Amino acid sequence: MKTWRLSIVVLVSFHFALVVAEEIKHQQKNTYIVHMDKSNMPATFDDHFQWYDSSLKTASSSADMLYTYNNVVHGFSTRLTTEEAELLRGQLGILSVLPEARYELHTTRTPEFLGLGKSVALLPQADSASEVIVGVLDTGVWPELKSFDDTGLGPVPSSWKGECETGKTFQLSSCNRKLIGARFFSRGYEVAFGPVNETIESRSPRDDDGHGSHTSTTAVGSAVEGANLFGFAAGTARGMATHARVAAYKVCWLGGCYGSDIVAAMDKAVQDGVDVLSMSIGGGLSDYTKDSVAIGAFRAMEQGILVSCSAGNGGPAPSSLSNVAPWITTVGAGTLDRDFPAFVMLGDGKKFSGVSLYNGKPLSDSLIPLVYAGNASSSPNGNLCIPDNLIPGKVAGKIVLCDRGSNARVQKGVVVKEAGGVGMILTNTDLYGEELVADAHFLPTAAVGQKAGDSIKSYISSDPNPMATIAPGGTQVGVQPSPVVASFSSRGPNPVTPEILKPDIIAPGVNILAGWTGAVGPTGLQVDTRKVSFNIISGTSMSCPHVSGLAALLKAAHPEWSPAAIKSALMTTAYHTYKGGETIQDVATGSPATPFDYGAGHVNPVSALDPGLVYDATVDDYLSFFCALDYRQDEIKRFTNRDFTCDMNKKYSVEDLNYPSFAVPLQTASGKGGGSGELTVVKYTRTLTNVGTPATYKVSVSSQISSVKISVEPESLTFSEPNEKKSYTVTFTASSMPSGMTSFAHLEWSDGKHIVGSPVAFSWT
């Protein structure tokens, strides 16, 4: 009897705990971004702020607005419980109530590698370039950097309406004619994380992380002679558009980047008058109607602003992309032809090449005992060199081989050093393959690929007294093949809209030298007290501002071009093969990369200045795109702030969005209709606009697969005047293939001078 009573008590207590937990969950407040139907404000209100406040108070008497939005979104952000959010959704005039998303950062020689150093005469004049303003949403800026020197720049453009916000660590004098504006946005972060701790980060536009200074100087940094990191990559560092102006919008803090802050920054940037928005951040994927950043980017695009975003660092996994909306320029990462070699010599005479940015006292030429971290730890993951996992008695005075993964690469070296090790060999595992990323290590280090790592491990296990040494190799240029697609660069297919090929393009994103904060050392670790003005880091965060800066150059050269025209010029002139004709390689596989890896190819800015033809797109094109996605009127209004109803008598097709590339999802043998002998016929229509001289363009198609027949009608297009438009249709007739199969083709229009190229990606699902 007592046992039964005890069981009943336990069950009742457990049920009560669940009820309490559920009640707490429902009472817990989260941040929401509320989209209002601005054009339908009731006549009883004098202004929109009154209406927003009244609407909010009917759902929650205690809630306050964090931000009000007037440009990229009409509405506000606030903290609500789940029930309050549902109550607000049911009110008239509310288009959507979206939960705030949390975003993460996608974390010298580049101009020469891109051909800008050899083609100065082709670039826009300094006067026109200095009228272009690039807004960077990131961790802020370190204004004292020489990369923000305004020598030689004229007055701030008259189009600029922004300001230089101040704080304890940021003065009005921190801005100048180069860094013309700086703002910070912390309300969303602070309600989620608590007040900014000003003892460890600045409640101002000042950059305490380094990421924002790096991205902004990559995009538009002034030329700085003698730039280097500990002697590596020495030379003149300059951004892509050295004469353009920059405005910094700090939206990322130690605890992350919050959607309400990001939308507020986008809203202000549009109001301030930027021409390009650069955003090296990303979050989870969702339908465009639920993606506040995609909605904000659409409104920016609508007002002539190109939005460039990083593709993400989720590669080489397929469908790992961020920022895939077709009105966003999505940028993946490739390598430069520059490397920072370090060499490992083993006791058996074998030599392996790796990379490192260590510049301290080198090891002696004599061999030193070598140990695998997994054999010097009592922990099951001791091979990863996680803090407090190594046994000092087994590593003291030795070179330690650590596997990459779990914790920061440079932190592994700290762990080895604290345990008494004198050097580190950092080896890639299956996940990272042959991708090598250089770091400013604290002890002699060589990071090596998986193959070299496996060979070194084999030597350690087979030799009773393994020995090694590590030697630095300085800076090496002219490395071939280059570029190659970075392993970490996120890949397609597009998980939201498979008919839109993403990423759009790749640009340099590995081992990039650019400006850095004075608040932290080059590794960002607390133990790193070294101070540098430049740092070398990697990520699609680094490739994105390259394209942002190049877009600024194109905007200066062609101020009349739309964001879609600028993106088209960058994409259709990109290259996907080396000079010998071989396809750009994927470092993750060592095999040829595909358009799902590099999009249209690697950016080629000099050719982009004169593309011949462009695929332009207007808001009306995107309205048809929304109709093809079966969006409701209220969903379309979130983007356009206009009442638009899709024509029920018109057939809309996602495939007909005027995009510079082609993604063609196809049925498998077991798909609809069944039989393997059945054919699938898909048609894509495109329109080209002449931005060059009168000419006749002829089409050519190269394909990897015979089971898809590709026909283009017409096969030639004659343009007799500027801005003339001509359309064509591509018909793909495909046999059914096994699920998961992919293949690729390339379509080109050429007048003998210009090549207007488009990748074609087939996938069977």
Side-chain angles (χ1 to χ4, degrees), residues 661-682:
S661 57
F662 299 84
V664 188
L666 295 165
Q667 294 179 10
T668 66
S670 57
K672 286 190 213 172
S676 59
E678 293 189 7
L679 298 177
T680 299
V681 179
V682 185

Side-chain angles (χ1 to χ4, degrees), residues 77 173 181 184 226 317 327 374 419 421 516 595 692-693 743:
S77 53
S173 59
F184 68 98
W327 48 89
W516 196 246
T693 56
S743 190

Side-chain angles (χ1 to χ4, degrees), residues 585-628:
Q585 289 187 14
D586 181 0
V587 74
T589 62
S591 301
T594 77
F596 286 137
D597 307 322
Y598 54 66
H602 192 281
V603 66
N604 183 4
V606 175
S607 295
L609 288 165
D610 180 23
L613 306 173
V614 295
Y615 293 89
D616 206 354
T618 65
V619 172
D620 287 341
D621 291 303
Y622 291 114
L623 288 173
S624 296
F625 174 73
F626 293 147
C627 291

Side-chain angles (χ1 to χ4, degrees), residues 242 273 458:
T242 56
S458 177

